[in-house]
Amino acid sequence: MSRVDQERKAMDDLRNKVSVEEIQRKYKYSLPVIQAMQDMIWRESKNRKDTFDLDMEGPEF
């Protein structure tokens, strides 16, 4: 598994609420790295909430 694939899977696990301890054990990441990933996920979700997509949220006729 490449480093990019590993990071992607770890991010997916964090999004799916896998425990920090499990992420540390499975991917050998330190706590600061995991916290940075969690911050990135939080920012991504905040940006999605702040984006208004008229096609998705507009009135239907």
Side-chain angles (χ1 to χ4, degrees):
M1 176 180 349
S2 74
R3 185 176 57 87
V4 172
D5 290 336
Q6 182 176 342
E7 289 174 7
R8 187 175 297 130
K9 287 183 180 192
M11 295 281 284
D12 287 342
D13 283 349
L14 286 169
R15 286 184 189 100
N16 292 326
K17 309 294 187 212
V18 173
S19 71
V20 170
E21 293 81 15
E22 180 69 16
I23 300 294
Q24 286 178 315
R25 185 191 64 75
K26 190 173 179 181
Y27 300 103
K28 309 290 189 238
Y29 288 145
S30 65
L31 187 56
V33 171
I34 294 170
Q35 289 172 330
M37 290 178 164
Q38 289 172 324
D39 289 344
M40 185 182 305
I41 291 168
W42 179 81
R43 282 192 305 271
E44 287 173 353
S45 67
K46 184 179 181 319
N47 286 341
R48 283 191 201 117
K49 289 178 188 173
D50 291 343
T51 304
F52 180 75
D53 185 356
L54 189 57
D55 291 333
M56 297 299 289
E57 300 176 22
E60 294 185 21
F61 296 100

